[in-house]
Amino acid sequence: MKLIPVQWCLAFFLSGLFMNATAQSWTGPPEKPKERRELQYGPLHPGKRTDAAMQRFREYGLGQFIHWGVYAIAGGEWNGVKAPTASEWIRSWSGKTAPDNWKATYDNLYKQFNPVSFDATRWAKQAKAMGARYVIFTTKHHDGFCMWPSRFSDYTIRQSPYQKDIVRQIVDAYAKEGIDVYLYFSIIDWHNKDYRSASPKTAGEKASYQKFLDYTRNQLFELLNNYPQIKGFWFDGTWDKAWIDSYAFTYQLEKDLRAAHPGLIIGSRFRNDEYGKRHFDSNGDLLGDYEQGWERKLPAKYEWLNGNDWDCVMTIPPNGWGYIKDWSPFYTKTSYDLIDMLMHATSMGGNFVLNFGPDGNGNMSPGEDRLAKEIGEWVQLNGEAVYGVTHAPLEPNSYGYFTQKGNTLYLTVFNRPVNNLIRIKMPKSATEVPTAASLLVSGTSLKMKFTDIGLDLDRNIYVDITLPDTFVSQQPFVIKIITKSGKINAAELEKAHM
Ligand code: H79
């Protein structure tokens, strides 16, 4: 069965090309240009931020993303249109069985948006129990529908039967649970007639696009004014040529947003420099406060990150952010998969943000409820290894992931060796030396000794930690290792009890 019209296949193909062309510069080994270019529209602040708001961002560990809008009514399938993936894009999917007026049908769906079961407090409590320290909520996705009663649009929650401000309820409920709120905002807007993706050429087009830019600016200030508790924006849809060309406007806008809201956090996806370089400017320097390119992907190597802050946003199905009423055709990630990704991210100094796509009535799906509960149970026991941790400067190993907090190392074990002996490699010249190991979950102390295998020219020493045969775990578990400053010397090596 043919699901996508030809132009979509072409769009898919072109977008693939586009992604390949740009992917290398921001989701792979960093490429630093040989010589520096003078930039007028580069980063607003040089180097990493050191303020309290940014420090708080670094310590989140786990976050929740919520994609909610009128696409939730469709749930990936509506009136003969089926989104094979990315259900929040259903307006753009069509196919043989689609009605002729499909886009108009979609554009009228908001007249049925009445999520009577929506209870922001219930969601916030669920997020809290899962262990989320921040939430990113979709105020406006590409379709242009505003989940708050924007003065600048006639396509908002106010015009739906529900009427009440959803963004306000989310902000208040999550803030009450102590969860920081970030607002997702897409620059793409299929509802606004002044929106365009291609560069405006004629004077008329330019005037129209300027109106669109002003509308975007007004909405962003409106959000800041309405919801002063928010900690940041998570921007999307900023790859259009028209937006890329507007670097002088977006530079000033970023400056003004930050001035209006001290501490505001904005990722690398908001704007580009005057040469059209996105995420990283023409000198390879990060634009914005953290690297925002890790959408449904994770870095293979810590070195790729160049020491930058970053987040990973992840879906439960392969690629679907909005509600999908039938998960059965897809592989949906298990809590084991997701905890693995969480620890992968935190071990490389990033935050892991798990997406939820509630339905049109305001309910999370049963699958999401289950995953939230399972992740929460795990994080409840092992949170010490997740929150407020940094990358540990040790060689990666196949057992799992290291995280670090001061003089404590955490090794979250996913692959338990058959001999129950965890062997950690560290340079003989290390200046932080392990002194004790225990199981985080029970506090049980573990036998630990240094082993010099005696391989020729080996500059490493091995810290051998023995797991008791009696310790059984169905879940990944954490070994906590206390270190102290000092050197490993021959005398210490002989103390087997070390
Ligand atoms: O909000 C989520 C996505 O809807 C949004 N970003 C995340 C956080 C996003 N918009 N565009 N993209 C991601 C990348 C573009 C994907 C596309 Fe396609 C490939 C557009 C057309 C082909 C996937 C497949 C979406 C529609 C069909």
Side-chain angles (χ1 to χ4, degrees), residues 126-144:
Q126 177 181 57
K128 178 89 176 174
M130 180 175 80
R133 294 276 165 101
Y134 71 125
V135 65
I136 306 168
F137 184 76
T138 48
T139 57
K140 185 189 78 150
H141 203 262
H142 309 342
D143 61 9

Side-chain angles (χ1 to χ4, degrees), residues 19-37:
M19 300 235 192
N20 283 342
T22 53
Q24 278 186 328
S25 61
W26 50 276
T27 54
E31 295 162 17
K32 276 272 177 191
K34 287 190 191 67
E35 44 195 58
R36 285 190 75 83
R37 246 175 169 170

Side-chain angles (χ1 to χ4, degrees), residues 8 11-13 15-16 19 65 67 71 84-86 88-89 92-93 138 141-142 184 186 188 234 236-237 239 269 295-296 313 315 319 321-322 355:
W8 267 104
F12 214 127
F13 173 67
S15 104
M19 300 235 192
F65 213 142
H67 272 71
Y71 43 82
T85 176
E88 71 285 0
W89 274 76
S92 294
W93 295 106
T138 48
H141 203 262
H142 309 342
Y184 168 105
S186 175
I188 295 175
W234 203 97
D236 203 3
W239 44 80
R269 207 183 278 204
E295 180 171 320
R296 296 191 300 111
V313 293
T315 52
N319 181 12
W321 299 85
N355 182 69

Side-chain angles (χ1 to χ4, degrees), residues 172-330:
D172 288 349
Y174 277 76
K176 201 163 164 210
E177 293 299 323
I179 299 174
D180 285 356
V181 183
Y182 289 68
L183 300 182
Y184 168 105
F185 185 96
S186 175
I187 300 303
I188 295 175
D189 194 315
W190 297 325
H191 182 80
N192 190 313
K193 63 173 179 39
D194 295 312
Y195 164 75
R196 51 176 26 255
S197 64
S199 305
K201 295 277 183 273
T202 66
E205 285 170 359
K206 283 181 183 161
S208 158
Y209 195 65
Q210 187 55 51
K211 270 169 75 183
F212 177 72
L213 292 176
D214 293 339
Y215 154 82
T216 301
R217 183 183 163 100
N218 285 334
Q219 286 205 321
L220 293 175
F221 277 99
E222 184 179 45
L223 289 170
L224 281 185
N225 265 321
N226 285 6
Y227 319 108
Q229 307 99 309
I230 67 160
K231 306 293 182 192
F233 284 115
W234 203 97
F235 287 106
D236 203 3
T238 52
W239 44 80
D240 287 327
K241 190 69 170 62
W243 183 259
I244 290 173
D245 289 347
S246 310
Y247 52 83
F249 181 90
T250 56
Y251 179 86
Q252 190 58 43
L253 178 53
E254 184 183 331
K255 219 174 186 174
D256 295 344
L257 289 170
R258 289 186 188 281
H261 197 97
L264 189 72
I265 293 176
I266 296 176
S268 65
R269 207 183 278 204
F270 179 55
R271 65 173 180 91
N272 48 272
D273 73 7
E274 58 264 51
Y275 297 98
K277 290 289 265 177
R278 305 179 57 239
H279 295 276
F280 295 96
D281 70 13
S282 301
N283 294 315
D285 295 330
L286 185 68
L287 286 156
D289 302 318
Y290 66 96
E291 190 182 344
Q292 208 191 336
W294 301 99
E295 180 171 320
R296 296 191 300 111
K297 52 174 96 69
L298 282 158
K301 292 199 171 88
Y302 175 69
E303 290 68 33
W304 290 9
L305 297 156
N306 233 340
N308 288 314
D309 294 301
W310 62 286
D311 72 358
C312 162
V313 293
M314 189 59 69
T315 52
I316 297 167
N319 181 12
W321 299 85
Y323 176 60
I324 297 176
K325 49 189 160 200
D326 181 13
W327 270 5
S328 67
F330 306 111

Side-chain angles (χ1 to χ4, degrees), residues 405-466:
K405 202 182 301 176
N407 69 339
T408 307
L409 278 175
Y410 301 94
L411 173 62
T412 306
V413 178
F414 289 79
N415 302 304
R416 182 176 181 164
V418 290
N419 65 355
N420 271 341
L421 195 135
I422 302 271
R423 176 164 281 175
I424 299 167
K425 184 177 181 177
M426 50 191 295
K428 281 178 181 160
S429 59
T431 52
E432 278 290 317
V433 186
T435 59
S438 61
L439 286 170
L440 177 62
V441 75
S442 58
T444 310
S445 107
L446 299 174
K447 200 175 133 213
M448 184 180 88
K449 69 182 184 79
F450 292 103
T451 301
D452 187 351
I453 303 181
L455 289 166
D456 193 21
L457 299 180
D458 189 2
R459 289 171 194 276
N460 296 297
I461 196 77
Y462 300 83
V463 184
D464 285 352
I465 297 171
T466 306

Side-chain angles (χ1 to χ4, degrees), residues 138-159:
T138 48
T139 57
K140 185 189 78 150
H141 203 262
H142 309 342
D143 61 9
F145 184 75
C146 302
M147 297 292 271
W148 82 102
S150 176
R151 288 196 286 126
F152 305 99
S153 170
D154 58 0
Y155 187 47
T156 82
I157 196 68
R158 185 69 86 223
Q159 284 78 41

